Amino acid sequence: MEPVEKPPACCFDEWASHNAERARKQGTAAPITRHLLAALEAQDLKGKTVLDLGCGTGDLALATLARGAASADGIDLGAGAIEEARSLAEERGLADRATFAVGNGAVVPLSRHDVVALNRVLCCYPSVDQLLANSLSAASDVYAYTAPIHTGSVGLFNRILIGIGNVWYRLRDRKFQGFRAFVHDLDAVDRRIAEAGFRKEHGAHRRVWQVAVFTRTDV
């Protein structure tokens, strides 16, 4: 049996707490989430079921509901992050259409959803093979991700910045418990998604992030 691909859940709860505060003020916690949301909305979210893997504070999932999605489910490694997501859903009056649970998206059984999104998630896994295999099988219509750009000068910047961050995580290993961030070959990721029967509909660079949205063609 291959080892389970699971990043440590060390600091996700602390980060989710900060993100929840930002989401309460701005609607979503990060600009890249707004870019992904716009790209998903262009594929028509009305009446769709959404799965937000690595949902953190749940702001992406809840924002899809505000834009017409029928229901949204979120999964995250951090128990504290899930508590924040549930709290945010209650505050926005969306708790009846949103569910959030603790789990590792690479291995937890996933039910089929119209839309599957991985926002700032790939970079948390040392290898994305299991995560892609598990999550692609759950996407009926749309599959989307955001991840650090890996090519060109921006890719070099990302590798340097993330490398410095990983040194910091290593120096404070008691707190971060082995957590590291990663820059993956997104061309290889896109090929894997295409092999699963999807066509890229949207691809854009937003500062240091790549936004990609695919639609299923083998239906």
Side-chain angles (χ1 to χ4, degrees):
M1 180 180 295
E2 296 182 1
V4 174
E5 297 168 358
K6 178 180 178 181
C10 64
C11 27
F12 294 158
D13 289 348
E14 180 179 336
W15 292 340
S17 179
H18 293 308
N19 285 338
E21 291 182 15
R22 294 165 64 185
R24 288 183 172 93
K25 295 177 181 177
Q26 305 172 22
T28 55
I32 190 60
T33 303
R34 293 191 285 275
H35 290 304
L36 177 57
L37 183 61
L40 289 174
E41 194 171 12
Q43 299 301 319
D44 189 6
L45 287 168
K46 293 181 180 178
K48 299 292 180 64
T49 58
V50 177
L51 175 60
D52 183 4
L53 285 181
C55 64
T57 193
D59 55 328
L60 174 64
L62 297 176
T64 65
L65 295 178
R67 287 160 176 78
S71 65
D73 298 318
I75 296 174
D76 196 272
L77 286 168
I82 292 302
E83 289 180 9
E84 291 284 4
R86 291 170 178 166
S87 176
L88 201 59
E90 289 281 356
E91 292 172 19
R92 296 184 180 181
L94 297 171
D96 60 330
R97 295 161 58 200
T99 63
F100 296 99
V102 177
N104 177 8
V107 296
V108 67
L110 301 174
S111 60
R112 296 276 281 188
H113 288 70
D114 297 317
V115 179
V116 174
L118 297 87
N119 184 30
R120 302 187 294 170
V121 176
L122 298 179
C123 52
C124 295
Y125 282 77
S127 170
V128 296
D129 292 343
Q130 285 181 268
L131 179 63
L132 290 174
N134 198 39
S135 57
L136 282 165
S137 64
S140 296
D141 299 320
V142 177
Y143 190 88
Y145 72 79
T146 65
I149 294 167
H150 76 290
T151 57
S153 57
V154 177
L156 177 60
F157 173 80
N158 279 335
R159 292 180 189 279
I160 292 172
L161 186 65
I162 287 176
I164 293 171
N166 286 339
V167 170
W168 175 248
Y169 300 144
R170 190 176 295 111
L171 290 173
R172 301 195 66 193
D173 198 56
R174 179 174 295 181
K175 175 179 180 179
F176 293 103
Q177 302 174 24
F179 174 78
R180 303 290 184 269
F182 303 89
V183 179
H184 293 291
D185 182 342
L186 299 183
D187 292 335
V189 169
D190 288 356
R191 287 194 297 271
R192 176 67 184 84
I193 298 171
E195 289 168 359
F198 291 83
R199 177 182 62 240
K200 182 180 275 191
E201 301 289 353
H202 175 86
H205 287 182
R206 300 295 181 182
R207 295 188 178 181
V208 300
W209 298 95
Q210 179 164 309
V211 182
V213 176
F214 298 77
T215 56
R216 186 174 284 282
T217 60
D218 61 343
V219 293

